[in-house]
């Protein structure tokens, strides 16, 4: 028995060292030839946290408290909030979203059918990626399109937005769809805004003090500036209307807390978290949609549940293997190679190597 225990103790550092090797191999490519790049990778495995930093900003390496835009990872928080509202009896997944939209907002219909919350959360509404009129705003304000597309523009453009095919018949990613969920849930819950509701029902119960849409002055000082793929500095993105699809900022420290809560759900949000993880619609033979989460399937193995996000100057990835662990990658450059890092670490976690 003593010999067995000794082997276990000696194996743990080696396992951590192997994880470090995997992360470094994948993540160093993000900062190579990019002196402006600053990347943080957080890994939760075997109930232990590991944080790796690459690159520098103002001569200092980023850390677990550095703030980054997380873009469409915002959507999974919206999916959890939707599940919470369902579990609390405020709305139902098959409720028509039109019933809860702000006064004067008209959601298009097709084939005498209404779009439901489930359609929006699984990207099966048939709605286009963005509302009518958004392209014109983007052409005028290419570096801050979501800040300039406001409530008035949404109210005008929404009724003219095309439903591309029969509602519920096909998966097609839509920022607009998840952007509408936030407004509808705020109205249904009789709260001032999506941000207020999200903070009270999801962020505060999870103790995510550095994960917000609107940052404090102190938090703004910790933002790592963003760059596009060409290395050009980009302004931070603000959202005037569709906050629930991509407006959040966070840190590696908070995202590790978030992953821990999802890997082994517990506490007041346990039911909502588990509901958001479930398979609600098939995307392909190897993938499914949860409530805004994406589930990758592999035979005789637990699903890999994940989402990524990109804004003008950032790319992020968050994913987990239920019961095992998860990874977050925060990068201040809008490049898709971030996903490769995330998936490689998830593979390492899933295989338990």
């Amino acid at each position: 028995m003593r010999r067995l225990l000794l082997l276990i103790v000696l194996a743990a550092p080696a396992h951590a060292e192997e994880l470090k090797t995997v992360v470094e191999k994948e993540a160093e490519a993000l900062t190579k030839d990019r002196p402006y790049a600053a990347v943080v990778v957080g890994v939760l495995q075997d109930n232990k946290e590991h944080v790796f930093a690459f690159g520098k900003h103002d001569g200092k390496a980023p850390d677990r408290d550095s703030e980054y835009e997380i873009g469409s990872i915002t959507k999974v928080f919206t999916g959890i909030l939707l599940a919470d509202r369902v579990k609390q009896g405020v709305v139902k997944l098959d409720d028509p979203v039109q019933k809860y939209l702000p006064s004067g907002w008209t959601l298009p219909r097709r084939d005498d059918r209404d779009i439901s919350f489930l359609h929006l959360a699984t990207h099966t509404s048939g709605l286009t990626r963005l509302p009518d009129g958004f392209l014109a705003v983007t052409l005028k304000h290419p570096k801050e399109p979501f800040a300039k597309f406001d409530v008035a523009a949404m109210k005008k453009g929404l009724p003219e937005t095309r439903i591309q095919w029969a509602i519920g018949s096909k998966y097609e990613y839509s920022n607009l769809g998840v952007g509408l969920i936030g407004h509808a849930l705020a109205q249904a819950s009789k709260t001032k805004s999506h941000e207020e509701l999200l903070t009270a029902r999801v962020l505060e119960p999870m103790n995510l003090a550095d994960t917000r849409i609107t940052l404090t002055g102190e938090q703004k000082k910790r933002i790592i500036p963003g760059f596009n793929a060409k290395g050009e500095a980009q302004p931070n993105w603000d959202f005037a209307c569709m906050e629930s699809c991509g407006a959040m900022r966070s840190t590696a420290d908070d995202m590790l807390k978030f992953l821990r809560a999802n890997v082994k759900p517990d506490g007041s949000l346990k039911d909502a978290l588990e509901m958001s993880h479930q398979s609600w619609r098939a995307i392909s033979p190897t993938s499914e949609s949860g409530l805004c989460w994406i589930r990758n399937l592999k035979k005789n193995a637990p699903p890999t549940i994940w989402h990524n996000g990109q804004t003008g100057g950032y790319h992020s990835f968050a994913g987990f293997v239920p019961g095992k662990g998860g990874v977050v990658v925060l990068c201040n450059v809008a490049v898709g190679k971030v996903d490769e890092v995330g998936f490689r670490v998830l593979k390492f976690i899933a295989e338990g190597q």
Side-chain angles (χ1 to χ4, degrees), residues 3 19 49 150 191 302:
R3 185 177 181 183
L19 171 63
E49 295 181 1
D150 57 16
T191 54

Side-chain angles (χ1 to χ4, degrees), residues 59-249:
K60 180 182 176 183
D63 59 30
R64 64 189 302 141
D65 295 318
S66 298
E67 291 276 357
Y68 290 78
E69 292 181 359
I70 60 172
S72 285
I73 292 177
T74 299
K75 291 180 173 67
V76 301
F77 288 88
T78 302
I80 293 165
L81 179 62
L82 172 59
D84 169 75
R85 298 292 76 195
V86 171
K87 290 295 183 180
Q88 295 300 315
V90 177
V91 299
K92 297 177 181 178
L93 282 181
D94 60 359
D95 277 346
V97 177
Q98 179 65 59
K99 178 180 176 181
Y100 301 105
L101 287 177
S103 177
W105 290 34
T106 303
L107 187 60
R109 305 175 77 239
R110 178 167 173 155
D111 304 325
D112 201 32
R113 291 190 67 193
D114 289 303
I115 293 172
S116 71
F117 281 109
L118 185 59
H119 292 135
L120 296 184
T122 57
H123 299 285
T124 56
S125 66
L127 289 171
T128 51
R129 192 178 188 95
L130 291 161
D132 187 79
F134 192 88
L135 177 59
V137 171
T138 301
L139 292 174
K140 287 184 179 180
H141 308 280
K143 290 191 174 183
E144 47 182 354
F146 285 94
K148 299 301 181 181
F149 192 88
D150 57 16
V151 169
M154 175 68 87
K155 188 174 179 180
K156 179 181 177 182
L158 187 59
E160 305 301 322
T161 301
R162 186 167 59 95
I163 297 179
Q164 305 170 91
W165 35 70
I167 295 170
S169 66
K170 184 177 179 180
Y171 178 95
E172 186 72 17
Y173 193 82
S174 175
N175 286 309
L176 168 60
V178 183
L180 291 173
I181 293 176
H183 290 283
L185 292 182
Q187 290 286 120
S189 303
K190 297 179 172 58
T191 54
K192 182 175 67 175
S193 67
H194 165 70
E195 181 173 12
E196 180 181 280
L197 180 64
L198 179 70
T199 301
R201 296 302 309 177
V202 177
L203 304 181
E204 289 180 348
M206 284 188 172
N207 193 30
L208 304 180
D210 278 333
T211 304
R212 291 291 187 272
I213 293 173
T214 303
L215 298 182
T216 66
E218 186 276 331
Q219 288 168 333
K220 288 179 180 178
K221 293 178 181 178
R222 290 189 270 127
I223 286 184
I224 304 296
F227 296 82
N228 65 17
K230 296 179 180 179
E232 300 165 337
Q234 300 295 302
N236 288 115
W237 273 14
D238 292 318
F239 283 63
C241 185
M242 291 186 283
E243 300 95 325
S244 57
C245 82
M248 295 177 70
R249 288 93 167 183

Side-chain angles (χ1 to χ4, degrees), residues 29-43:
L30 297 174
T31 57
K32 184 180 180 181
D33 301 323
R34 295 188 179 104
Y36 44 85
V39 181
V40 181
V41 180
V43 182

